[in-house]
Amino acid sequence: MTQFPVGGASGVSRRPIQIGDRAARVLATELARHGGPKTGLLVGAAAGSATLAAAIDALLPEDRLTVVAPGSTGAAAGAVGGASASGRFGAAAALREHVERQGRWVTDRTRVVESLAEAEPADVVILAEPLSGSADDARAVLADLTKLVNAGGVLTVVVPATRLPNGAADEVERQAALYGVGSDLVLRNVPPVRVHRLRHTPAHHAAASNLLPALRPSSVPLTRGMHIDSNGVAAAGIALGLAALAKAARPKSKLWLVPALAAAPVAAFFRDPQRDVPEDAGAVVAASDGKVLGVERLHDERFGDMEFLRIAVFLSVLDVHVNRAPVAGKVVDYFVEDGGYAAAMKPEAEHNVAAYTLLETAHGPVAVVQRTGLIARRIVQRAPVGSLLAKGERFGLIRFGSRTDVYLPADKATPTVAPGDRVVGGATVIATWL
């Protein structure tokens, strides 16, 4: 595992960060979800590291990966643990030997270089070493690496997930607010880290059709096909904590059983099953589980004069509440409108609090609307403006009973469902492109 000092010039913390298997898979997410052909640049991964293994696992036959030895990036060397020239040469030699041991398939697609100056621009650039030091150090590192990202490409960096003062982490957070297209907290790491994906130049929406759904590291796997979203883990933990407090406060009372017994069903509400997304490029999939409330053509002043086909789906408290992208596209706008909390199956729900995610697609604008219901009071949306979503990719959820609406260009789509039909998010085809 790669280890570098955290805290840099600030001297706040000297605890080494170890990039474990789970964090490594998150770092390599953009490589793994890209259907290729693609180019990758991995900076600072040592021989035998989990990050190098994850990057190699993500390679497809037409892909190419360049690996830069640790501590060899000039300005970056001061921020992530620089090494002498002899040390860099030795690290590069060890990397080449390690790659050669992986077999010809890997060696034909992987190139090892000693310095960043020898690397060529790539579609996905990954800084495998945890970024530390001062804000100026981090700014210099990011500037150097950004020059090596192809137009529309992604730069992935990792920082410690700590509340303590950390110049590098603060600078990355600042840039993530401007250019971020995704951030993931990896708690199952020593210590926990946060992985940020930055896109400094806009990507074309067509690139989304070549992507697979991104990994969600914060969800907890129960089985191969079933996870629990991080919201469910937190909610179940709160319920168990209340049970423990009640038991401690009143040992002879059975009151603690109420929150204790509620923990399992609360966690189950946030279940996140794996879904097989239809490969048909002309298929539009359901954005959520539930029952179709309405299929209609309409105009919506929020989107101008264009006519849309709207398919509304009601989610009961027993349905899976994770929301998925109905089509592949680029998030170009996101806004929330205030309103009431009428029961989601009633017409009055039209004026409930709602979050609008607008996608740019090959077929025109597509909108996904997350509407609150009588019980739901919290909408979660995890796709920043500028991010690319694969068809069927998770992008958010609504807590408890609610409704999702999918808006499609009316002259380019025809519905395949009717009111009363049951649909499965990410799997059921609700419409097809003409």
Side-chain angles (χ1 to χ4, degrees):
M1 295 182 180
T2 309
Q3 298 185 24
F4 291 96
V6 178
S10 66
V12 172
S13 172
R14 305 300 295 178
R15 186 181 183 187
I17 291 182
Q18 300 176 339
I19 302 299
D21 291 340
R22 193 169 184 85
R25 289 198 300 272
V26 179
L27 275 168
T29 290
E30 287 298 323
L31 276 176
R33 71 192 298 246
H34 196 302
K38 59 181 177 289
T39 55
L41 175 59
L42 183 61
V43 181
S49 68
T51 309
L52 177 59
I56 289 176
D57 285 345
L59 293 178
L60 295 174
E62 297 182 53
D63 297 344
R64 294 295 180 268
L65 176 67
T66 300
V67 185
V68 183
S72 56
T73 57
V80 293
S84 64
S86 60
R88 293 196 299 271
F89 179 81
L95 273 172
R96 291 191 183 96
E97 182 180 350
H98 176 79
V99 169
E100 290 172 359
R101 288 201 299 268
Q102 308 307 305
R104 184 170 179 178
W105 195 94
V106 174
T107 57
D108 287 347
R109 293 160 180 80
T110 305
R111 170 175 170 246
V112 176
V113 297
E114 295 176 19
S115 70
L116 203 60
E118 302 175 59
E120 297 179 353
D123 301 320
V124 180
V125 177
I126 302 170
L127 180 59
E129 304 166 306
L131 191 56
S132 63
S134 68
D136 289 339
D137 289 335
R139 197 173 300 115
V141 174
L142 296 175
D144 286 346
L145 295 178
T146 300
K147 297 174 185 176
L148 291 169
V149 183
N150 286 333
V154 173
L155 168 62
T156 303
V157 296
V158 58
V159 294
T162 175
R163 297 287 184 181
L164 296 175
N166 186 296
D170 292 342
E171 174 60 23
V172 173
E173 292 282 354
R174 186 189 70 82
Q175 295 209 20
L178 297 172
Y179 311 109
V181 291
S183 296
D184 290 300
L185 175 63
V186 185
L187 294 174
R188 293 169 60 183
N189 198 71
V190 184
V193 295
R194 189 174 292 277
V195 178
H196 292 278
R197 295 183 294 280
L198 310 176
R199 181 179 285 121
H200 290 83
T201 56
H204 194 273
H205 64 78
S209 62
N210 201 32
L211 298 178
L212 296 173
L215 172 70
R216 276 284 298 143
S218 60
S219 62
V220 177
L222 298 181
T223 65
R224 180 180 294 272
M226 180 62 70
H227 288 216
I228 298 294
D229 188 87
S230 55
N231 280 262
V233 176
I238 291 172
L240 293 176
L242 291 174
L245 288 174
K247 180 68 173 176
R250 303 184 64 180
K252 295 182 180 180
S253 173
K254 300 295 184 181
L255 185 61
W256 66 274
L257 287 172
V258 176
L261 294 175
V266 166
F269 172 83
F270 292 97
R271 63 195 182 279
D272 182 11
Q274 192 68 23
R275 296 283 165 75
D276 293 325
V277 182
E279 296 182 1
D280 182 3
V284 179
V285 300
S288 66
D289 291 21
K291 184 174 73 173
V292 178
L293 282 179
V295 179
E296 58 184 326
R297 297 166 71 101
L298 49 73
H299 291 84
D300 193 313
E301 61 182 11
R302 301 174 187 85
F303 310 126
D305 297 331
M306 186 173 179
E307 185 180 27
F308 284 90
L309 169 67
R310 185 177 72 176
I311 302 174
V313 174
F314 167 68
L315 296 79
S316 75
V317 293
L318 300 179
D319 287 314
V320 172
H321 274 57
V322 172
N323 300 138
R324 300 168 184 264
V327 295
K330 176 182 176 181
V331 180
V332 294
D333 197 9
Y334 170 73
F335 59 91
V336 177
E337 285 200 347
D338 199 7
Y341 294 96
M345 76 288 291
K346 294 184 177 181
E348 292 82 0
E350 192 78 20
H351 306 291
N352 281 1
V353 174
Y356 292 77
T357 300
L358 186 62
L359 302 175
E360 181 183 6
T361 78
H363 301 277
V366 172
V368 184
V369 183
Q370 300 166 282
R371 297 190 188 277
T372 60
L374 181 64
I375 303 175
R377 298 296 169 110
R378 173 69 169 161
I379 295 174
V380 177
Q381 203 272 16
R382 294 166 171 150
V385 172
S387 59
L388 298 177
L389 292 176
K391 181 165 65 178
E393 181 170 345
R394 305 162 178 87
F395 74 91
L397 58 88
I398 315 175
R399 295 177 182 171
F400 306 105
S402 52
R403 165 180 155 184
T404 59
D405 298 348
V406 174
Y407 288 71
L408 306 169
D411 60 342
K412 296 183 179 180
T414 182
T416 57
V417 293
D421 290 349
R422 294 286 306 178
V423 297
V424 176
T428 301
V429 178
I430 61 171
T432 55
W433 295 117
L434 297 174

